[in-house]
Amino acid sequence: MSVPLPPPELVPLSDILPSEPLLLMGAGPVPIPHAVARANGVVINHLGETMDRVIHRVKIMSQYAFQTTSDKIMGVAGPSSAAMEMAISNLLWPGRKALIFKIGTFSGRLGEMALGVGADVTVVEPPVSQPITARMAEEALRADKYDVVTLVQGETSCGVLNQDVPQIVKLAQAHGALTIVDAVCTLSTMPMNMDDWGIDVAITGGQKGLSSIPGVSLIAFSAKAWDVIENHRQVKPHWCLDAIRSQKFWGNQQYHYTAPVPGILALHEALRLICEETLEKRFDRHYMSSKALQAGLEAMGLELFIPEDHRLNSVVAITLPPGVNSGRLRKYMSDKFKVEISGAFGLNIVRIGQMGEQCRSHNLFKVLYATGMSFRHEGVPVDVSSGMAAIEQHLVRDLEHFVD
Ligand SMILES: Cc1ncc(COP(=O)(O)O)c(C=O)c1O
């Protein structure tokens, strides 16, 4: 008879977590409001009248966030990548052609997924730190015929904004292609009008602009995209990510799989706070906050990686001067100032997030000071005082946007 394994040594979570929570000022996850945290501690039955009402409200509020009237809007149990995978695996299969506009890790991931489901994939990739322009898109669309075009609104990995998304979507439409737009780091931080721009599938995650928890994401399909899905009744590669099965739960309150209830309740609260603030005010708060941060960083003498004309405001990338070690800098910052920012995927940058609760004046002062002092600790002669003065001037000017 086999001997049962003994229980492992007990280690309380408090021994693992830092003694003081770090302020999350990286590329996500971001700090969450108390209402979201509270909701995330509640479990109710995932089926039944109470959950039906929650789902109904989550859908209505998501329509507002995405600016769509589509009723094919649903949550996905999983990271934003799961929502990306749902979009790809329901619209692409062997024989279908995808045009992937890649400007970094995440927009490139959509291409990897498209290859994974057997689609015929063409990748257009400008030099690092450049966006996809409408002209580039037009050229690529003229060269061949595609079923699906994918692109990202804001590329978190390097801090580039694809500001031509509306024109690119229109061009794709004119060439008969459906569009999948990754709005993971941008939704509710800057305008993204799904219906008005004609986007067919829009995706976001919980842990960025929405200031909810990671692990429950959102996806919305246009009527045109839904038609394609409904007419392709083949066995899907992902059972959980089958949009038709998922719509059973999100459209008809029937069992698909046991829904991530606390995450959906958290999302409800995050969306409710967005609706209460209104998108217009939220966009202003994000814009002012990010611009103030950028002014502070530049006044200190730090160089921003992306030129202003296509710089993403949701995630700001700072170029590391020679000799600065990203890991050491960030460790010093979290040990000394209890502030965490992000490294990068192979680029010589660090990144500061400006999404959701990160865009509050108290968080801005703290991250800017911590960043300045940490660069100074790395031997870079930054002028911390000038940076703090610059951010203060911006914030005083725009104070109405920072009423917490
Ligand atoms: C633009 C973008 N798309 C997709 C993802 C993937 O998100 P997740 O890690 O939640 O799967 C991220 C994550 O940072 C992102 O920034």
Side-chain angles (χ1 to χ4, degrees), residues 228-304:
V228 172
I229 293 170
E230 281 204 309
N231 287 319
H232 180 67
R233 289 287 181 159
Q234 256 76 354
V235 174
K236 300 287 162 47
H238 303 294
W239 191 91
C240 288
L241 299 178
D242 178 344
I244 300 279
R245 285 192 167 100
S246 182
Q247 179 64 4
K248 273 188 171 179
F249 178 75
W250 286 88
N252 303 319
Q253 291 82 48
Q254 291 168 16
Y255 176 70
H256 173 204
Y257 53 74
T258 306
V261 175
I264 294 174
L265 298 179
L267 197 56
H268 180 286
E269 287 303 89
L271 288 164
R272 182 182 60 74
L273 292 170
I274 291 171
C275 295
E276 185 178 81
E277 182 174 11
T278 74
L279 285 177
E280 290 76 11
K281 290 207 176 115
R282 199 170 174 91
F283 296 155
D284 277 355
R285 174 161 66 81
H286 279 81
Y287 181 82
M288 301 299 172
S289 180
S290 188
K291 288 296 180 201
L293 175 69
Q294 292 168 35
L297 291 167
E298 288 190 313
M300 278 183 182
L302 291 170
E303 191 193 327
L304 301 183

Side-chain angles (χ1 to χ4, degrees), residues 139-377:
E139 213 172 281
L141 285 160
R142 279 221 182 109
D144 206 343
K145 176 123 187 64
Y146 297 98
D147 299 296
V148 170
V149 170
T150 72
L151 69 164
V152 68
Q153 185 177 27
E155 178 53 69
T156 323
S157 60
C158 56
V160 171
L161 171 69
N162 266 335
Q163 59 212 343
D164 284 358
V165 169
Q167 295 95 308
I168 296 170
V169 170
K170 289 275 178 290
L171 284 164
Q173 241 174 17
H175 285 265
L178 296 171
T179 47
I180 297 175
V181 175
D182 170 337
V184 170
C185 80
T186 48
L187 196 84
S188 92
T189 74
M190 65 181 67
M192 211 281 305
N193 299 315
M194 181 171 172
D195 286 1
D196 192 41
W197 295 1
I199 295 169
D200 290 297
V201 188
I203 295 154
T204 202
Q207 76 276 23
K208 308 228 184 207
L210 304 186
S211 262
S212 186
I213 60 151
V216 181
S217 309
L218 286 170
I219 187 165
F221 296 93
S222 70
K224 210 160 18 125
W226 199 257
D227 264 0
V228 172
I229 293 170
E230 281 204 309
N231 287 319
H232 180 67
R233 289 287 181 159
Q234 256 76 354
V235 174
K236 300 287 162 47
H238 303 294
W239 191 91
C240 288
L241 299 178
D242 178 344
I244 300 279
R245 285 192 167 100
S246 182
Q247 179 64 4
K248 273 188 171 179
F249 178 75
W250 286 88
N252 303 319
Q253 291 82 48
Q254 291 168 16
Y255 176 70
H256 173 204
Y257 53 74
T258 306
V261 175
I264 294 174
L265 298 179
L267 197 56
H268 180 286
E269 287 303 89
L271 288 164
R272 182 182 60 74
L273 292 170
I274 291 171
C275 295
E276 185 178 81
E277 182 174 11
T278 74
L279 285 177
E280 290 76 11
K281 290 207 176 115
R282 199 170 174 91
F283 296 155
D284 277 355
R285 174 161 66 81
H286 279 81
Y287 181 82
M288 301 299 172
S289 180
S290 188
K291 288 296 180 201
L293 175 69
Q294 292 168 35
L297 291 167
E298 288 190 313
M300 278 183 182
L302 291 170
E303 191 193 327
L304 301 183
F305 183 57
I306 303 296
E308 190 166 16
D309 66 344
H310 55 274
R311 185 182 302 151
L312 177 64
N313 287 328
S314 322
V315 177
V316 178
I318 304 165
T319 305
L320 293 178
V324 174
N325 178 287
S326 165
R328 197 172 53 211
L329 173 115
R330 288 180 293 113
K331 175 152 182 16
Y332 180 77
M333 199 184 300
S334 52
D335 287 350
K336 184 92 179 158
F337 298 101
K338 312 296 177 204
V339 176
E340 199 167 66
I341 65 170
S342 296
F345 305 93
L347 294 170
N348 194 36
I349 55 175
V350 288
R351 297 169 300 149
I352 302 183
Q354 283 292 275
M355 298 171 283
E357 291 306 296
Q358 292 175 324
C359 300
R360 301 285 182 197
S361 54
H362 47 275
N363 293 338
L364 277 185
F365 280 112
K366 199 164 167 181
V367 71
L368 185 64
Y369 186 73
T371 302
M373 294 304 283
S374 303
F375 269 97
R376 196 187 269 179
H377 184 257

